[in-house]
Amino acid sequence: MQSCTNETRSRHSNKYAFSGKLICGNCGSKFRRKRWGQTEKYKKYVWICVNHANNGNEACDMKAVDEEKLKAAFVRSINKAIQDKDTFIKTMIENINNVLESRREDAELQEINTRLEELKEQMLNLVRLNLRSGLDSLIYDEEYQSLEQEMQELKQRKAAFDNTELIRDKALKKAEEMQRILSGRNELLKRFDEGLFTEMVEHIRIVSLVEVEFIYKTGLVIKEIL
C-alpha cells in the first residue's frame, strides 16, 4: 500500500513541466503549482516557493511567479540559441572548460597535493633513519602507520577532484546531445515546447518576481526577464 502511495506522489510531482525544476534564489527551496482565480475567466497558474507558502514572509519573501511568463521566458531563451546555434554551443563548451579548470586550481586541491608530497618525504626520511639507526620497531611502526593513514585520507579527498576528466566527458556528451537537438530546429518556437524544455534545462533559478536564470544541462546559465 505504501509503495502505491509513493508511486502516486511521484507521478503527481512530475505532472507539470516545471515540477521539481524551479529553485528559489532566496532560500533554495523548490516551488509548487497553485491556481489563482475562482472562475475560468480569471484563473491563472502560479508557482510558489514551498518555504514561503509553508512558513510565510519571515522564512522567505519570494513572490509567486506566473507560469505563462515562465513559459514565455523559456521560448525567448531557446530562440536565442536556435538563432545562433554555433555561439550557443561554443559558450556551453567554454563554460564547461572554465568550471573544470577552476576545479583543477582549487586551493583545497593544491593544499592536498602539497601535504601529500610532504608525507612522502617524511615516510622516506623515516625509512632511511630506521635503516641507519635501527629505530625501536614499535615506535617505527606507529610513526609509519600514522603517516600512511593521513596519506590515505588525503588520497580519498583528492579522488573527488581527480574525476574532473570524467565530469568533463559527461558534460561534453550533454553538449553534443543539445547540439544535435538544436541542429534539427531551424524555425523559432512560437509557443512553449515541454519536451524541448525537459531535454535542455536542468533547473530554473527564480531570482526575483521579474528575473530568472535558466540553468541548462551543461551548467550554462542564461538570464531572462519575466
Side-chain angles (χ1 to χ4, degrees), residues 97-107:
N97 290 330
N98 289 340
V99 169
L100 295 179
E101 189 61 34
S102 68
R103 284 173 60 89
R104 293 192 187 98
E105 296 174 357
D106 190 283

Side-chain angles (χ1 to χ4, degrees), residues 123-137:
M123 292 176 80
L124 285 173
N125 289 338
L126 183 63
V127 171
R128 292 189 189 111
L129 180 61
N130 185 49
L131 290 173
R132 288 198 308 267
S133 307
L135 296 174
D136 181 277
S137 60

